[in-house]
Amino acid sequence: MLKIIYQFAICIMLLIIVSCDGGQVDCGSRPELDLDQDQLDSEIAEIEAYLEANNIEYESDPSGIRYSVIESGSGQSPNYCATVAIDYTGSELGSSEVFSSGIDTQVSLNSNSVVPGLKIAIANMNRNADYKVYIPASLLNVKGVSQVLPPNLPIGENVEFRIRLTRY
């Protein structure tokens, strides 16, 4: 019996050692982006022209995301390792046709299937915040993943999301 317990303990310890990659995940760091800066600048200019033409006040994130705060939330923002719940609707920039929506949608910010633009936008919010977020098309690309979140993204198009961060 002692031999079985000993073998079990060794297996558990090996599993723990193998599952650790030797480094820590930096939950405060933004996703690394490999972008065509000229393309991103063009997309940002298109978003800003739309916002200014429609007299929409906005704030800028260094990533290129633009956002309008509809309602400020409270507390700290989630980090890039958090799992959050959001209510959202997404449409192409300037369109009223919704391509994706969800209520109480679980989003793991450290998942490779979540598009970088959505991760960055959510990490800028706090609990119960409600934002209108304008994301350049370049920040919607995820390489090597067949099912991304949010689904049904229009490829190569700038998009806008209404996002309410409900919990994390």
Side-chain angles (χ1 to χ4, degrees):
M1 179 70 171
L2 188 58
K3 183 177 179 181
I4 293 172
I5 292 172
Y6 179 71
Q7 289 174 338
F8 180 73
I10 289 176
C11 288
I12 295 296
M13 289 182 351
L14 286 174
L15 182 62
I16 290 170
I17 291 169
V18 170
S19 66
C20 295
D21 65 0
Q24 296 292 327
V25 174
D26 184 358
C27 295
S29 293
R30 291 175 174 237
E32 289 188 30
L33 304 172
D34 182 22
L35 303 172
D36 177 337
Q37 191 62 47
D38 291 335
Q39 178 67 34
L40 178 62
D41 290 343
S42 173
E43 294 162 357
I44 293 169
E46 181 182 330
I47 291 170
E48 289 179 344
Y50 168 78
L51 295 170
E52 290 167 11
N54 290 283
N55 295 317
I56 300 171
E57 291 184 31
Y58 65 93
E59 297 181 39
S60 300
D61 182 81
S63 66
I65 293 171
R66 304 301 185 246
Y67 60 96
S68 298
V69 178
I70 298 166
E71 185 178 331
S72 295
S74 62
Q76 294 182 331
S77 299
N79 63 38
Y80 289 101
C81 292
T83 296
V84 302
I86 61 171
D87 299 338
Y88 76 95
T89 57
S91 59
E92 288 185 33
L93 185 66
S95 172
S96 60
E97 187 175 324
V98 173
F99 64 78
S100 185
S101 66
I103 296 175
D104 202 34
T105 302
Q106 301 295 308
V107 178
S108 177
L109 298 182
N110 68 354
S111 170
N112 289 336
S113 65
V114 179
V115 297
L118 192 63
K119 289 180 186 186
I120 294 167
I122 292 170
N124 280 331
M125 301 174 75
N126 50 12
R127 188 172 282 113
N128 295 319
D130 189 358
Y131 284 16
K132 187 78 171 209
V133 180
Y134 306 89
I135 303 177
S138 295
L139 296 178
L140 300 174
N141 296 326
V142 178
K143 296 178 182 169
V145 177
S146 60
Q147 293 185 343
V148 298
L149 184 69
N152 306 319
L153 285 168
I155 304 299
E157 298 295 328
N158 297 326
V159 298
E160 54 186 90
F161 284 97
R162 172 106 184 235
I163 303 171
R164 176 176 284 279
L165 177 57
T166 58
R167 67 179 184 277
Y168 59 95

